[in-house]
C-alpha cells in the first residue's frame, strides 16, 4: 500500500461513528463505545463510514480486484478485501477464516422454473461454516477483540451460533450460544459443539432466546454478536461489493433475499447504497425480501402499507406486529419478531422492491429445482427462487430482467429436509381455520427417491433406461 492510500484507509477507519437510525434521535456515538442499541432512545444503531476521503481515490475498484491475487490474510478474505469501507484501523486484530469469495452461479433450470430467461445465484453457503453469517462474524468478533471482551454470546436458529462458535475459537474467546431446545437442525448444532462453544438449550423459542440476550447485554465482559449488532452488518454489506465485482459492475435489476431477522437484507441495502454514494454504480437493484408464510411479520406489514407509503421513503411505521408462534420448516427464518426490520424495510422502500410470502410446498419444490442445477442450498435460501417465480407471474419482475438471488446456507446444513422431500415423507404443521395444528404432507414435484436395484449390470442399465 502506498503512503497516500494507507492514510486514506486510516482516516476512514478512525472517523467512522455509530449513529441511531431513528430520524428524531440520530444521536452519534464513538466507534469503540460498547453499545448495541442507542443508549438515548433504544433505537437501532448503524455504522456511518465517511465516504468523502474515498471519493478522491480513483482506483478503488482496481485496488480491490488486485487484492484477490495477494497473500495478505486480509486480502484472502472476501470481506477485509474491502477494508476501506470497514470501521477498523489498519492495525486491527483481524479474526478471519477467509470468508466471502463465494461463487455467483448461472442457474438455467431454476431460471426456467421461475419464468426468467436467466437467473444467477450468489451462494453464500460456500462460506467457511456454510452460511452467510461468516461475513458478519469476522467483523463482529474483531470488534469484540478490540473491546477486550472475554465471552461472545448470541441467540440463534443454528447458523449464527455455528459461525460465532468458529470465529470465537479462532480468536480464543469463550463462546456461549442460546438455542431454542429441539428446534435446531442437528448438523448446525454439531458444528457449534465441534467449535467448542458452551451450548445452552433454552426451553423456549428463538424470540425467548433473543430476550435473554438483551438481558445479558449489560455484563461488561460479554459481547453480543446477534444481528442487532451493527458490526455484523458492516461485514455482511461487503457481499454487495463482491457481487458487483462479479457482475462487472453492471447493477442487476433485482436482488432477492430470504428474510428472517432481516440483518442480511439490511446489510445488502447498505452495501449497495454506499457503492452508489461513492459513484461506483449509478443505480440500485430493486431489493425484494421473501418470507415463509407462517413466519412473515414484515410481509404482513408491507401488505398493509398504502401505495403512497410504498412510493415515499418517508413512510416508516414505528411498530411491527410480531408472529407469536412462527411456523416453517425453513428453521433459519423461523422468526416472529425480526430485530432489523426497520433497516430492511428502508432498503426495500428506497429501491422499490417487494416483500412477499411463499408456502412450504413452494419452498420445497424451489429447493429441489435449485438442486437440479447442481447447487445445494438449505430450505430458507430456496424462498428466493419460490418468491421470484411469484414476482414474475405477478408482473413485478419481467422475464428479460437481470435477477440475482442470494442463497444463504448450504444443503448439508439440513440434510434431513432434503432426504424427507425426495423420499416423499416431508410434512409441515399448519393451522386449521379453528386454530388447531394439523400435519400436512408435502408432495414434492421433483421427488427423487433411491430405488432398490439388483446387484447386476443388466438391472442397473434397465434402471437408467427407465429414468431417461
Ligand atoms: C440467518 C439466515 C437467514 C436469515 O437471515 P436474516 O439476516 O436473519 O434475515 C436465512 N437463511 C439462512 C440459511 C440463514 O442462516
Amino acid at each position: 500500500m502506498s503512503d497516500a492510500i494507507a492514510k486514506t484507509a486510516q482516516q476512514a477507519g478512525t472517523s467512522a461513528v455509530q449513529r441511531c437510525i431513528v430520524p428524531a434521535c440520530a444521536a452519534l456515538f464513538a466507534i469503540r463505545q460498547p453499545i448495541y442499541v442507542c443508549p438515548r432512545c433504544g433505537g437501532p444503531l448503524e455504522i456511518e463510514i465517511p465516504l468523502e476521503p474515498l471519493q478522491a481515490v480513483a482506483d478503488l475498484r482496481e485496488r480491490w480486484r488486485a487484492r484477490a491475487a495477494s497473500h495478505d490474510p486480509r486480502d484472502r478474505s472476501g470481506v477485509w478485501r474491502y477494508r476501506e469501507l470497514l470501521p477498523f484501523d489498519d492495525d486491527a486484530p483481524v479474526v478471519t477464516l477467509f470468508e466471502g469469495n463465494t461463487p455467483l452461479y448461472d442457474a438455467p433450470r431454476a431460471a426456467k422454473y421461475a419464468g426468467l430467461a436467466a437467473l444467477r445465484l450468489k451462494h453464500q453457503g460456500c462460506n467457511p461454516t456454510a452460511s452467510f453469517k461468516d461475513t458478519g462474524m469476522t467483523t463482529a468478533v474483531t470488534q469484540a477483540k478490540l473491546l477486550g471482551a472475554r465471552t461472545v454470546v448470541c441467540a440463534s436458529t443454528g447458523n449464527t451460533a455455528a459461525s460465532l462458535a468458529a470465529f470465537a475459537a479462532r480468536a480464543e474467546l469463550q463462546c456461549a450460544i442460546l438455542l431454542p431446545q429441539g428446534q435446531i437442525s442437528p448438523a448446525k448444532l454439531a458444528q457449534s459443539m465441534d467449535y467448542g462453544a458452551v451450548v445452552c438449550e433454552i426451553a423456549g423459542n428463538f424470540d425467548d432466546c433473543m430476550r435473554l440476550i438483551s438481558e445479558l447485554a449489560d455484563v461488561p465482559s460479554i459481547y453480543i454478536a446477534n444481528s442487532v449488532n451493527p458490526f455484523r452488518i458492516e461485514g455482511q454489506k461487503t457481499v454487495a461489493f463482491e457481487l458487483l465485482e462479479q457482475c462487472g459492475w453492471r447493477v442487476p435489476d433485482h436482488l432477492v433475499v430470504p428474510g428472517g431477522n432481516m440483518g442480511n437484507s439490511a446489510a445488502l441495502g447498505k452495501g449497495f447504497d454506499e457503492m452508489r454514494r461513492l459513484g461506483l454504480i449509478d443505480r440500485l437493484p430493486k431489493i425484494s425480501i421473501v418470507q415463509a408464510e407462517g413466519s412473515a411479520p414484515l410481509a404482513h406489514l408491507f401488505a398493509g402499507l398504502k401505495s403512497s407509503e410504498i412510493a415515499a421513503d418517508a413512510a416508516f411505521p414505528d411498530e411491527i406486529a410480531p408472529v407469536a408462534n412462527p411456523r416453517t420448516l425453513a428453521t433459519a427464518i423461523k422468526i416472529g419478531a425480526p430485530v432489523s426490520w426497520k433497516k430492511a424495510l428502508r432498503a426495500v422502500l428506497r429501491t422499490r422492491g417487494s416483500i412477499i410470502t411463499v408456502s412450504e410446498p413452494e419452498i420445497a419444490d424451489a429447493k429441489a429445482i435449485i438442486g437440479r442445477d447442481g447447487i445445494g442450498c438449505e430450505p430458507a435460501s430456496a424462498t428466493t427462487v419460490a418468491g421470484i417465480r411469484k414476482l414474475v407471474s405477478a408482473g413485478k419482475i419481467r422475464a428479460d430482467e437481470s435477477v440475482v438471488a442470494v442463497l444463504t446456507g448450504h444443503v448439508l446444513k439440513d440434510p434431513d429436509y432434503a432426504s424427507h422431500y425426495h423420499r416423499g415423507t416431508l410434512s409441515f404443521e399448519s393451522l386449521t381455520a379453528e386454530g388447531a395444528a394439523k400435519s400436512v404432507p408435502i408432495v414434492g414435484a421433483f421427488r427423487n427417491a433411491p430405488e432398490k436395484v439388483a446387484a447386476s449390470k443388466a438391472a442397473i442399465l434397465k434402471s437408467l433406461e427407465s429414468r431417461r
Side-chain angles (χ1 to χ4, degrees), residues 131-340:
S131 86
F132 78 85
K133 302 299 196 295
D134 293 345
T135 55
M137 279 313 169
T138 182
T139 41
V141 174
T142 298
Q143 171 77 349
K145 274 295 234 201
L146 278 169
L147 295 181
R150 279 209 312 269
T151 306
V152 287
V153 181
C154 73
S156 174
T157 58
N159 284 338
T160 300
S163 182
L164 180 61
F167 282 90
R170 294 300 294 176
E172 298 181 58
L173 294 172
Q174 184 185 40
C175 172
I177 58 178
L178 311 189
L179 306 169
Q181 193 182 347
Q183 293 183 38
I184 302 297
S185 125
K188 298 177 185 178
L189 196 52
Q191 284 183 291
S192 293
M193 294 190 280
D194 218 36
Y195 301 137
V198 179
V199 178
C200 307
E201 296 188 298
I202 305 294
N205 64 18
F206 175 77
D207 299 306
D208 296 318
C209 294
M210 275 310 294
R211 181 178 45 75
L212 287 164
I213 285 290
S214 56
E215 290 175 23
L216 288 169
D218 63 358
V219 183
S221 63
I222 287 183
Y223 186 73
I224 308 287
N226 271 99
S227 65
V228 60
N229 181 323
F231 287 86
R232 275 187 53 196
I233 303 286
E234 287 307 290
Q236 289 176 20
K237 78 182 180 187
T238 63
V239 176
F241 312 160
E242 185 176 279
L243 173 63
L244 284 168
E245 214 170 57
Q246 288 168 317
C247 292
W249 294 93
R250 280 183 301 276
V251 181
D253 297 317
H254 296 271
L255 183 82
V256 182
V257 291
N261 233 345
M262 307 288 169
N264 193 25
S265 29
L268 288 161
K270 187 172 196 273
F272 282 108
D273 191 54
E274 286 179 356
M275 288 297 98
R276 197 193 43 162
R277 282 163 49 215
L278 271 177
L280 297 183
I281 53 174
D282 57 7
R283 64 183 186 118
L284 298 172
K286 286 187 176 172
I287 297 179
S288 291
I289 299 175
V290 188
Q291 298 204 281
E293 238 168 44
S295 312
L298 193 60
H300 296 156
L301 183 147
F302 188 78
L305 294 179
K306 294 195 268 311
S307 59
S308 60
E309 290 171 324
I310 290 175
D313 198 8
F316 216 81
D318 275 335
E319 300 288 332
I320 188 164
V323 171
N325 279 308
R327 283 165 204 278
T328 173
L329 296 175
T331 49
I333 52 171
K334 188 173 172 181
I335 292 172
V339 168
S340 299

Side-chain angles (χ1 to χ4, degrees), residues 6-17 31 48-51 53-54 83-89:
K7 190 156 162 280
T8 313
Q10 207 170 16
Q11 271 173 356
T14 50
S15 48
V17 291
I31 201 68
E48 205 168 271
I49 306 286
L51 298 178
L54 293 172
R83 52 190 172 271
E84 285 81 358
L85 287 150
L86 295 177
F88 295 93
D89 293 338

Side-chain angles (χ1 to χ4, degrees), residues 42-87:
L45 295 170
E46 188 163 73
I47 309 290
E48 205 168 271
I49 306 286
L51 298 178
E52 300 75 44
L54 293 172
Q55 263 149 2
V57 182
D59 65 340
L60 266 181
R61 294 194 283 194
E62 179 50 33
R63 191 193 300 174
W64 291 333
R65 202 188 57 74
R67 279 181 188 156
S70 139
H71 290 290
D72 180 329
R74 294 174 307 166
D75 293 341
R76 304 307 307 153
S77 160
V79 171
W80 294 93
R81 206 144 64 80
Y82 305 98
R83 52 190 172 271
E84 285 81 358
L85 287 150
L86 295 177

